Amino acid sequence: MTGSDGGFTGTPVVPETAPPGRRRDRAVRTPRQRSDARFGLGLISPTVVLVLVLVVLPILWTVMLAFQDLRLIRLRTAGLFGDYTVDNFVDVFTSPGFWSSLTTTLIYSIGGTASAIGLGLVAALALRNPFRGRTLVRAALLLPYVAPVVAATFVWGVMLNPQFGIVNEVGAGLLWDEPIAFLSQRPWALISVIVFEMWRSFPFVLLFITARLLAAPASLEEAARVDGAAPTQIFRHVVLPQLMPTIAVLALLRFIWTFNNFDDIYLLTGGGAGTEVISVRVFDYLVSRGDIGAASAQALVLASVLMVLVTVYYRFAAKDEVA
Amino acid sequence: MAGVTTVPAEPATAPPARSSATPTGRGWSRNNVETRVFGVLRWVVIAFLLVFTLFPFYYMVLLSFRDLSSLLQEPARLWPTLSELTATTYREVLSSTGSGGQGFLGFMRNSGLIALGTVAVTLLFAILGSYAIARLEFPGRRKISVLFLAVYLFPAILLAVPLFVFFTRIGLQGSLGALVLVYVSQTVAVSIYTLRNYFQTVPVSIEEAAAVDGASRLTIMRRITLPLAMPAILSNALFIFMIAWNEFLFALLFLVQDRSRWTVSLGLSQLAGSIEIPTTVLMAGSVVLTLPIVILFFASERLLTGGLTAGAEKG
């Protein structure tokens, strides 16, 4: 849920670099400071405990589960500390399904991220100059991002349906000959989920590029225009360089979330027809096969890729304070 | 990994284009042509975007009111005729299973309870926590900030395995309360971030004045800081509500076994595969699922987009 489904968690968060205002001058501690410290800890500790119990501990536990041979059926009888083994990882890395799934995940993430950023950028530029009703248009364009993922995937599924879906009704015979089963036929299924991802997350890009454009000083572009630069030249040499840091952070964030996205693909194709991304595979191993060990091992692979990306994001955002 | 490797591509040093190489005449004409082309292209793009984004929603509403047999006869017709318009789809999807419906009213009650519960608990935790991070100097403050950032970026699917195993093990599967706690753990981090940013915009001097007058920290919080932060708290509440209402994966993992506990999202996803239920009825279900979010969104659009970018205003 944290961002992975888009949702409304989509606020790039900038990690705090230093406590603002107050210096960490600990030479003298007044009673007020000491009571502040106690009060602060008291206020934050419920949240910290909750996050530790429901997020941090489970992640650590996943690590332990990944090294055990554990089935869902035997869960009630199994102890917390079973026999440790690396079999799960051997199985995961030697199964051809895993590698093709990783490739699919990469294609999906790159395609989804690039197309969402491209469309979001175009949308932000098209809506840049004011016109009547712009606020309403902008709000309407944000709808795919806030709409419930289950309803959105259901409608898309019906739209792309080969029997009576509107896309085939209009397109078959006109653009292609026979109705195409867009969600259960290679390579259309993967293309469809990427287009869906673009539809759902370009508003996020639109939102942040719009905010960044508002902050861009008009004088620079004015100067370029006076010097006779054409709109494409102004965009290429004046606007785009200013947007680049924002686009970079958006690319990283979108990539992280698309890479781990479960809901969209599970609901659209169920992971069939060449769309089985790792997160769907994890779910499949966990629920359908009841193979907790293998599910954990694959989740860990996902987590380690993610950890690298989060570190990059943290360094990047903390250094430049963009987004 | 293009998304990552292309990151620092464009050097920020590109000089503002001063097309000195272009002869004046050609430069003017290129400029003129481009300005005209983009003037038209802009409207084409806006029209395309509106159709692209809104069509699925229009299609959803359209199908929810159309009669199934007329839909199958004329699937390509994009406007309803008066004779075929029907609201029986809504009656069927909302009424309880006992009276031959799909029981979405019950699902809405579950979704509503879960979402409101999540909002209440998250806000309680987040207001206290964000105030502490914004105002008070305490040991470990930076570490906690980093922890919350990590939580915020960690995807749900990674938590799915251990939480599912854990809740199955202790027999809490099917408990709405447990699900609320999981949702809170997911939303509290981002909530703390946005609220913290807001608290930092409230001048410390107001609180210091109250402290000089002898007010305690708790009194200051309740009487001064909270009322001032009300807009931020409200927008926070709205987006937490939306997250909890829309959530699918954890609802699927925890509640799927007992139909009476399904949320609207879960119900729609579970019934979507069924052959017996007409597509138009499920479309009515989709509208029922989407409508509260769309209403909330348009009612609070200004508030929400403000809240959405609140974490990002440093750039």
Side-chain angles (χ1 to χ4, degrees):
Chain A
M1 182 160 63
T2 313
S4 60
D5 65 356
F8 250 94
T9 34
T11 314
V13 171
V14 178
E16 189 170 345
T17 40
R22 293 156 193 250
R23 293 284 122 237
R24 282 174 155 263
D25 182 24
R26 287 298 171 77
V28 192
R29 298 196 65 176
T30 63
R32 176 97 197 171
Q33 277 172 339
R34 242 174 289 140
S35 94
D36 271 6
R38 263 203 310 277
F39 192 52
L41 278 177
L43 291 183
I44 197 79
S45 50
T47 309
V48 173
V49 169
L50 185 83
V51 166
L52 283 179
V53 170
L54 286 173
V55 181
V56 178
L57 280 183
I59 289 173
L60 295 180
W61 198 29
T62 314
V63 178
M64 282 163 55
L65 290 172
F67 290 99
Q68 293 177 44
D69 179 21
L70 197 55
R71 303 278 156 173
L72 202 57
I73 329 155
R74 285 191 275 118
L75 189 61
R76 298 255 171 208
T77 53
L80 186 60
F81 300 93
D83 296 327
Y84 287 95
T85 162
V86 291
D87 284 358
N88 292 322
F89 288 94
V90 175
D91 289 349
V92 165
F93 287 129
T94 51
S95 97
F98 175 78
W99 296 105
S100 74
S101 173
L102 194 62
T103 315
T104 309
T105 313
L106 281 177
I107 296 172
Y108 173 63
S109 313
I110 293 169
T113 303
S115 57
I117 287 183
L119 192 63
L121 180 63
V122 168
L125 292 173
L127 293 176
R128 197 178 178 195
N129 294 326
F131 57 88
R132 274 186 69 158
R134 183 176 66 161
T135 318
L136 196 66
V137 170
R138 215 180 247 160
L141 292 188
L142 294 181
L143 274 182
Y145 187 62
V146 296
V149 63
V150 177
T153 49
F154 180 69
V155 173
W156 273 68
V158 174
M159 276 166 51
L160 296 175
N161 177 307
Q163 274 94 44
F164 57 89
I166 190 71
V167 175
N168 272 309
E169 282 302 321
V170 174
L174 203 69
L175 302 169
W176 53 89
D177 298 333
E178 291 291 304
I180 299 173
F182 281 102
L183 292 175
S184 51
Q185 195 180 321
R186 289 169 196 256
W188 292 107
L190 189 55
I191 294 172
S192 303
V193 293
I194 290 175
V195 172
F196 180 81
E197 169 64 25
M198 170 173 83
W199 178 79
R200 225 171 116 67
S201 51
F202 94 87
F204 179 82
V205 177
L206 165 67
L207 207 59
F208 282 93
I209 292 188
T210 301
R212 185 63 190 85
L213 280 174
L214 280 177
S219 55
L220 271 181
E221 283 169 68
E222 202 50 53
R225 202 167 298 126
V226 168
D227 284 348
T232 44
Q233 290 173 315
I234 296 178
F235 172 71
R236 169 82 178 70
H237 297 289
V238 181
V239 179
L240 195 60
Q242 296 185 68
L243 291 180
M244 232 35 220
T246 308
I247 291 178
V249 169
L250 281 170
L252 198 54
L253 273 177
R254 284 309 331 158
F255 190 87
I256 290 173
W257 287 329
T258 317
F259 193 78
N260 294 286
N261 193 348
F262 166 80
D263 295 355
D264 304 33
I265 288 188
Y266 177 79
L267 289 163
L268 280 172
T269 67
T275 59
E276 193 189 43
V277 291
I278 303 267
S279 58
V280 171
R281 212 172 140 84
V282 170
F283 181 86
D284 192 42
Y285 270 78
L286 176 68
V287 175
S288 314
R289 304 195 193 185
D291 189 344
I292 297 172
S296 309
Q298 292 177 81
L300 272 194
V301 175
L302 210 57
S304 38
V305 175
L306 184 81
M307 223 120 89
V308 175
L309 294 176
V310 170
T311 313
V312 171
Y313 173 71
Y314 184 73
R315 289 269 160 84
F316 194 73
K319 202 178 73 209
D320 293 353
E321 291 220 296
V322 284
Chain B
M1 303 273 278
V4 180
T5 45
T6 56
V7 158
E10 191 74 17
T13 51
R18 198 171 182 284
S19 48
S20 49
T22 355
T24 331
R26 234 187 83 209
W28 184 83
S29 96
R30 173 181 174 181
N31 200 335
N32 203 5
V33 168
E34 276 194 12
T35 309
R36 278 181 190 203
V37 167
F38 283 117
V40 176
L41 204 61
R42 177 165 164 249
W43 295 107
V44 176
V45 167
I46 291 173
F48 163 78
L49 284 171
L50 278 175
V51 172
F52 182 61
T53 32
L54 295 183
F55 181 76
F57 294 100
Y58 173 72
Y59 193 66
M60 184 195 290
V61 176
L62 174 77
L63 257 58
S64 76
F65 284 111
R66 280 189 74 179
D67 184 59
L68 184 69
S69 55
S70 93
L71 168 71
L72 293 177
Q73 274 162 21
E74 290 182 275
R77 194 153 47 77
L78 281 177
W79 53 94
T81 56
L82 271 177
S83 58
E84 65 169 351
L85 276 185
T86 169
T88 48
T89 48
Y90 285 89
R91 201 174 312 132
E92 184 179 342
V93 84
L94 286 174
S95 60
S96 67
T97 38
S99 48
Q102 301 303 332
F104 268 57
L105 219 49
F107 299 164
M108 286 178 86
R109 196 189 55 103
N110 290 341
S111 284
L113 279 179
I114 291 173
L116 289 176
T118 307
V119 168
V121 181
T122 304
L123 280 185
L124 181 69
F125 280 51
I127 288 171
L128 299 180
S130 57
Y131 183 82
I133 289 186
R135 281 285 188 271
L136 303 167
E137 182 69 42
F138 57 88
R141 191 171 79 157
R142 271 210 69 195
K143 284 198 186 73
I144 289 171
S145 290
V146 173
L147 171 74
F148 287 168
L149 175 76
V151 167
Y152 159 76
L153 287 173
F154 252 76
I157 189 70
L158 293 181
L159 293 172
V161 182
L163 287 180
F164 178 70
V165 173
F166 179 67
F167 281 113
T168 311
R169 187 87 200 272
I170 64 171
L172 265 181
Q173 241 198 330
S175 147
L176 297 188
L179 191 62
V180 166
L181 277 187
V182 172
Y183 286 0
V184 171
S185 74
Q186 299 278 297
T187 51
V188 74
V190 71
S191 188
I192 281 184
Y193 259 104
T194 49
L195 284 181
R196 183 209 69 174
N197 284 351
Y198 196 86
F199 280 141
Q200 282 174 350
T201 64
V202 178
V204 186
S205 54
I206 303 178
E207 293 182 23
E208 275 167 357
V212 168
D213 287 347
S216 73
R217 275 281 180 198
L218 215 58
T219 317
I220 295 174
M221 259 184 86
R222 214 181 57 229
R223 290 282 179 76
I224 297 170
T225 321
L226 279 192
L228 283 174
M230 228 34 197
I233 293 174
L234 215 60
S235 78
N236 237 281
L238 281 167
F239 79 65
I240 297 166
F241 185 91
M242 288 186 182
I243 291 170
W245 180 274
N246 291 353
E247 207 279 337
F248 169 66
L249 173 60
F250 286 115
L252 173 67
L253 284 174
F254 290 166
L255 305 178
V256 74
Q257 280 151 358
D258 184 356
R259 182 170 175 152
S260 69
R261 290 173 187 269
W262 284 359
T263 60
V264 187
S265 280
L266 182 58
L268 181 61
S269 72
Q270 292 299 302
L271 299 176
S274 149
I275 319 158
E276 297 104 74
I277 307 168
T279 305
T280 51
V281 170
L282 290 175
M283 273 304 169
S286 302
V287 173
V288 164
L289 170 60
T290 313
L291 200 60
I293 296 299
V294 172
I295 291 174
L296 271 183
F297 176 69
F298 277 105
S300 59
E301 191 263 333
R302 245 158 243 262
L303 208 59
L304 269 176
T305 44
L308 269 176
T309 47
E313 272 166 2
K314 288 189 174 181

